[in-house]
Amino acid sequence: MDAAPSVATRPIRPLPEEAARLAWVDVAKGLCIILVVMMHSTLGTGEALGGEGVLHDVVEFARPFRIPDFFLLSGLFLGRVIDRDWRLFADRRVVHFAYFYALWVVIQSLFKAGAIVAGAEGPADKLAAFGLHLAEALVVPYSTLWFVYLLAVFSVVTKLLHRRVPPAVLLVAAAVLQILPTSGLPELLDEFCERYVYFLGGTLFAEAIFRFADGVRARAGLALAGLALWAVLEAVFVFTPTGIEAAPTLARLPVVSLALGTVGALAIVAFASLMTRAGGPVTAALRTCGERSIVIYLGFFLPMALTRTVIVKFNEARPDLALDVGLASLIVTAAAVLAPLGFERLVRGTRLDFLFRRPAAFHIAPAPASPARLRPAAAPREA
């Protein structure tokens, strides 16, 4: 007889309530992906224009919770498949992400081929340099795609350990890894140590997080007061310097960063729940971004770079009309979010559909027959 379900494997509340519950998850993911794109767009634009703008403060404010919340949300639905056979599990949680990672590593690398093969002489040497680059990307997450790579790694590690290690012990170990200084480790290990605790927390406490979101919607006034208090404290920690090179602000101190990441992730859950309750066009837009968060994540790099280049050239040509860093960063962010969504909609159902939807040939288990299947490149939610 199977053992009683653990916290990690207990089924999340079924339909019909599930549709409403998934709405806030998509809103939260939408907000997070916008913040991620904003970070890359703002920092790159500031560097290109030689200054900082108002969005730099927004980016810094979001630093403690931006990625932690994304991983926490990604772990929420692992319990649906974690106890399934390895073939189905691998199809949903490994092959799914591996397909998009490998495809977009090649796409991004082709656009950056000039820099990748710089210094190589002759076609053979250049081809060898490019091939070595692709081989390295198999073990070292490439560029912005490291998030997709780690989702597969986190899923496999959690499945391997969840029946062998008590959840409390596993969670404490993950927290210790986050607290320890790991910046000298290889990039994959460093990111694993820094982020795994949030993914694991989303998996272990999925049902509690859903109950928390339900409670927020039921007590909106109290939730708003709590969010206001969190925002003030977050700003204090983020913008208070320490004078320590390794942790220049209070928010980057060991233990403090873990606490702010956890509380901030829950604050985004609360915010998304309130937005879902309120409804409206902003909520709908955030939910659309959340439903296609990986589409945006995979495709934002090129429109971001192109828009930034156009703005830099415009500022050089027309200094009298030059855009300031804040406005330029906002324009680059908007283009980097909207262009992938528009392109995905344009190629949907065409031969280029494979860019955002995994073809049947790349499934190792039957594709799920559910509405979630219609969502492009979305993290699998079905059992």
Side-chain angles (χ1 to χ4, degrees), residues 34-380:
I34 291 173
L35 290 174
V36 168
V37 174
M38 181 186 295
M39 175 194 68
H40 288 286
S41 300
T42 300
L43 297 182
T45 301
E47 183 178 351
L49 296 180
E52 293 189 359
V54 63
L55 286 191
H56 280 77
D57 290 333
V58 177
V59 167
E60 191 62 27
F61 178 84
R63 178 194 290 269
F65 62 84
R66 180 174 49 231
I67 297 300
D69 192 57
F70 228 143
F71 279 120
L72 180 140
L73 295 172
S74 299
L76 285 178
F77 299 96
L78 185 66
R80 297 291 184 86
V81 293
I82 197 168
D83 282 324
R84 297 300 185 96
D85 64 89
W86 269 101
R87 183 185 177 194
L88 186 143
F89 178 84
D91 181 75
R92 305 289 194 270
R93 304 297 305 201
V94 181
V95 178
H96 180 83
F97 296 117
Y99 169 80
F100 290 108
Y101 175 79
L103 174 64
W104 283 87
V105 161
V106 173
I107 293 172
Q108 287 198 17
S109 298
L110 288 174
F111 279 104
K112 301 176 182 179
I116 291 171
V117 302
E121 297 181 1
D125 288 343
K126 290 182 179 180
L127 185 61
F130 193 78
L132 181 62
H133 159 77
L134 294 180
E136 183 181 13
L138 295 176
V139 293
V140 179
Y142 179 63
S143 186
T144 58
L145 297 172
W146 66 270
F147 176 80
V148 179
Y149 190 110
L150 276 186
L151 282 177
V153 173
F154 286 167
S155 298
V156 171
V157 168
T158 306
K159 180 170 176 63
L160 288 172
L161 297 179
H162 88 287
R163 290 294 187 186
R164 295 174 174 83
V165 181
V169 174
L170 188 57
L171 186 64
V172 169
V176 170
L177 288 177
Q178 199 279 338
I179 293 169
L180 291 175
T182 59
S183 57
L185 295 176
E187 181 181 356
L188 178 58
L189 290 177
D190 180 30
E191 293 290 356
F192 180 94
C193 293
E194 180 74 15
R195 316 295 186 183
Y196 181 56
V197 65
Y198 304 110
F199 180 88
L200 181 65
T203 301
L204 294 177
F205 299 107
E207 185 60 32
I209 292 169
F210 278 108
R211 288 198 301 270
F212 171 72
D214 292 342
V216 165
R217 287 193 295 275
R219 301 172 180 84
L222 182 61
L224 284 171
L227 282 173
L229 177 61
W230 163 77
V232 171
L233 294 176
E234 175 84 0
V236 169
F237 278 99
V238 166
F239 297 111
T240 300
T242 62
I244 303 172
E245 183 177 355
T249 66
L250 291 177
R252 302 200 204 180
L253 291 171
V255 181
V256 176
S257 66
L258 174 60
L260 290 181
T262 303
V263 175
L266 293 176
I268 297 302
V269 170
F271 176 81
S273 297
L274 291 176
M275 290 292 290
T276 303
R277 169 176 164 164
V282 175
T283 300
L286 288 174
R287 188 174 185 189
T288 297
C289 290
E291 290 173 340
R292 293 165 172 79
S293 59
I294 295 186
V295 167
I296 297 173
Y297 194 82
L298 294 172
F300 81 89
F301 77 98
L302 183 58
M304 177 185 70
L306 291 175
T307 306
R308 183 174 63 228
T309 299
V310 170
I311 289 176
V312 170
K313 291 184 176 180
F314 174 82
N315 280 7
E316 291 173 349
R318 295 296 305 271
D320 55 318
L321 298 176
L323 301 176
D324 64 49
V325 176
L327 179 57
S329 299
L330 181 61
I331 293 172
V332 173
T333 299
V337 170
L338 295 176
L341 293 176
F343 182 66
E344 184 276 328
R345 182 65 184 87
L346 185 66
V347 303
R348 195 182 304 169
T350 71
R351 292 183 178 181
L352 293 178
D353 204 34
F354 71 93
L355 292 171
F356 301 108
R357 284 178 174 77
R358 183 167 45 130
F362 290 90
H363 281 270
I364 62 173
S370 73
R373 186 182 177 187
L374 301 177
R375 293 177 178 167

